[in-house]
Amino acid sequence: MSGLRIRPMRPDEISIAVNWAATEGWNPGLADDACFAAADPESFFIGEFEGAPAATVSCVNYGASFAFLGFYIVREDLRGRGYGLRIWNAAIAHAGPRVIGLDGVVAQQQNYRVSGFKLAYANVRYGGTVATPDAPQAGVIALTQVPLATVEAYDATVFPAPRTAFLRAWIGSPGHVGRALVRDGGLAGWGVIRPCRKGRKIGPLVADDRATAEVVLSALLASAGGGEIFLDVPSINRDAVALAQDLGLAPVFETARMYTGAIPPLRLERIFGVTTFELG
C-alpha cells in the first residue's frame, strides 16, 4: 500500500476516470469530463502506482453542507491491495463535515454501510430504443431560454445543494439539448438529453407531474430523432417507473442511493430522471 501516491487530478485528467467508467459499463456522456470539472475542480483524485494510474474517485463539494461521491474505481489488476480504501478515505476527507451522497453498486452496500452510509432508495437505469415522437406540444421551449436562476430555483427542490457552475456547464455543453415546459408563466418541468458512448441519456428530467414529464421527454426525444436512450429513475417515484415502462424501456442495472446523514426534504415525486449517477 505504501507504493500508492494519491493526488488531485488536473482537469485534463478527469477523462481517465470517465474512460474507466466506460470500461466498467457505466456509459458516460461524451462531454461529461468538462462538465464534471466545472462542478468542483478540486474534487477528483487519482492514485498512482509506479507512475501509472491505479485508482480514481471523486467527491464533489456542493456548498458547505453536501457532497457527492462517484468514480470509485480501482484498476482491475491492482484490486485487493487496499488501494481502494486509501483513495476512498482521501475522498471522504475532502468532504469534511458535509453529508455525502452516492449511487453505489448494489453489491457494495454493506461496505458503504461500514463507512456510515445508509440506504435511501434504489435508482434503476432503464434503456431501450424509441421512435421519434410527434412534434412537441405548445409551451415547450429551449432550456437555454429559461433564466438560469429560474432553473436553479426548481433544481433546489430536487437536489440538496446549489450547483450553479455545474448546471451552467451541463445546459450549455456542446451536444447537450435542453427543453422546458412553461405553464402560466412558471417553469413546470425541464430536462436535458446528451450523447453517450452508447446511445443517449436523459437527465435530469424533472417535472411537476407525470403529464408534464411526458411532454418534456417527448420534446427531448424529438430533438434527438429517437434511437437508443437511457433514463435513470428513482424507484421510489412510481409515476417515473411507470413512465419508463410505458415508453418500452427495460431495467439495465440498479444503484443504491445512500447518504451519510440527513438531507433537506426533496420533492422526489418530481424526479423522473436522475442527472447522473456520478455527481447526483
Side-chain angles (χ1 to χ4, degrees), residues 218-253:
S218 179
L220 292 171
L221 294 177
S223 74
E228 186 175 26
I229 65 162
F230 298 93
L231 183 65
D232 299 335
V233 175
S235 62
I236 200 169
N237 185 343
R238 294 183 179 180
D239 283 342
V241 172
L243 176 59
Q245 293 173 338
D246 290 348
L247 199 61
L249 305 181
V252 176
F253 70 85

Side-chain angles (χ1 to χ4, degrees), residues 2-274:
S2 61
L4 188 73
R5 174 176 175 256
I6 298 173
R7 61 172 177 82
M9 285 184 177
R10 300 187 304 270
D12 63 297
E13 292 178 311
I14 296 176
S15 59
I16 296 172
V18 176
N19 289 334
W20 282 15
T23 300
E24 294 292 323
W26 299 350
N27 193 28
L30 299 184
D32 280 3
D33 48 350
C35 294
F36 294 169
D40 176 3
E42 304 298 321
S43 65
F44 290 79
F45 298 87
I46 187 167
E48 295 175 318
F49 177 71
E50 296 181 345
T56 65
V57 74
S58 66
C59 194
V60 174
N61 289 342
Y62 294 104
S65 61
F66 184 69
F68 201 90
L69 191 146
F71 290 110
Y72 179 43
I73 309 170
V74 177
R75 209 173 78 198
E76 189 171 5
D77 62 309
L78 295 176
R79 293 173 184 174
R81 301 189 182 191
Y83 295 160
L85 180 59
R86 285 193 58 194
I87 201 165
W88 169 275
N89 288 338
I92 298 297
H94 177 71
R98 297 171 178 84
V99 172
I100 307 172
L102 61 77
D103 272 306
V105 178
V106 175
Q108 294 295 322
Q109 279 189 50
Q110 186 54 43
N111 288 336
Y112 298 140
R113 286 193 181 97
V114 172
S115 293
F117 287 83
K118 295 181 180 179
L119 177 67
Y121 52 86
N123 283 320
V124 180
R125 173 162 296 166
Y126 285 82
T129 301
V130 299
T132 306
D134 296 332
Q137 295 185 20
V140 175
I141 61 175
L143 185 57
T144 51
Q145 293 181 246
V146 181
L148 183 60
T150 301
V151 177
E152 285 186 281
Y154 199 109
D155 191 59
T157 70
V158 297
F159 194 77
R163 47 178 178 174
T164 305
F166 172 73
L167 286 173
R168 183 181 293 111
W170 196 252
I171 294 169
S173 181
H176 290 209
V177 176
R179 293 291 184 263
L181 179 63
V182 176
R183 182 187 295 129
D184 299 327
L187 184 60
W190 57 279
V192 174
I193 188 169
R194 74 191 196 277
C196 297
R197 304 295 175 94
K198 180 182 179 184
R200 291 177 171 85
K201 284 183 185 175
I202 295 170
L205 176 61
V206 290
D208 290 351
D209 49 49
R210 173 176 169 167
T212 303
E214 287 189 73
V215 173
V216 176
L217 176 59
S218 179
L220 292 171
L221 294 177
S223 74
E228 186 175 26
I229 65 162
F230 298 93
L231 183 65
D232 299 335
V233 175
S235 62
I236 200 169
N237 185 343
R238 294 183 179 180
D239 283 342
V241 172
L243 176 59
Q245 293 173 338
D246 290 348
L247 199 61
L249 305 181
V252 176
F253 70 85
E254 179 180 317
T255 68
R257 173 58 65 91
M258 308 180 78
Y259 298 101
T260 56
I263 61 169
L266 301 178
R267 299 288 299 275
L268 296 177
E269 76 279 4
R270 287 183 168 183
I271 303 177
F272 289 82
V274 178

